[in-house]
Each structure stands twice: as structure tokens, then as C-alpha cells.
Amino acid sequence: MSGPSFRIGLGRDLHRLVPGRRFLLAGVEIPSESGELGHSDGDVLAHAVTDAVLGAAGLADIGQLFPPSDAQWKDADSMVLLRRAFGLVREAGWRLSNLDCVVVCEKPKLLPWRDAIRASLAAALDVEAADVFVKGKTNEKVDAIGEGLAVDATAVCLLERAKP
Ligand SMILES: [Zn+2]
């Protein structure tokens, strides 16, 4: 196959945090006083990873594939959307080499949930958990994230050409 053997991708997302919503990261529900507001389930990490893998393959962005104006994506399970998007990436001839992510929120603490989050992403992206890493950070009480009003996620991935 011609063309490059590797492609890098970057995704970023932010959701407001409000009481009465679930706090989801890559489909893992974390006990929290507030959760992500969103048209879908609001899973900020799933959305950042979806944009990273789609962008690496040069295919689309999450808003193009799953427009919020389309009623079928209301309250959608964002991990189903990620699997669907990654299916397109695979059809285009790519596999995931590795994925690295940062989630920024003041609370809850993410470390106890990290292994579950890594396993969830690895299963969706057809790699081992060792190929996926997730770091939790606070915003040192600065700005809206620091006040607990929002959660932010960034994901970087490397795709490599799948063996034919
Ligand atoms: Zn989002």
C-alpha cells in the first residue's frame, strides 16, 4: 500500500458539569456529585478519542459523523459512537498503535478508575490496555474547570498501516 505508514491524531473536548447527570469517562461511570451535560451521554473522553482517531485517518470529525441536530444521537452511548468511528478507521486500512490522554477536572479523583478506563478504551480500539494511557489532572482551582463547572479531555493517537 502506498502512502505513509503512520499518522498522528489529536482530539479535544470539554463538557459542562451539572448535578443530576452521570460522570462518564470512556463508558466508565465514576461516582460524582455532577456529570457531563451533553446531547449524547456527554462522555468527554470518548469524544476526544473519537476525534483523535478520525482526525489521524483524515476521515471526518465527530460532529460531522454524529451531528447533534440528528435526534438519533440524543442520549447516545458515546462508546458505541467511538466503536462505529473506529470501524471506519479500520476500513480505511489503519490500526491503532497507541493512544495517550489527559483528563482535566477538579473532582472526582480519577486514579482509582484509570485501569478500568484504559481497559474500556483498549477493548473499543482493538488493542491491549498497555497501548492506552490516561492521566488525570486538576486545574489547580483556576477558571471554570478549577471551579468544578467543566471537564476537559485531550487525546493523541498514532495509527499505523494494518498488515494486509
Ligand atoms: Zn463532547
Side-chain angles (χ1 to χ4, degrees), residues 17-28:
L17 291 173
V18 297
R21 292 277 298 188
R22 298 193 298 158
F23 190 103
L24 289 166
L25 291 178
V28 176

Side-chain angles (χ1 to χ4, degrees), residues 13 15 44 47:
D13 196 25
H15 280 256
V44 68
H47 296 172

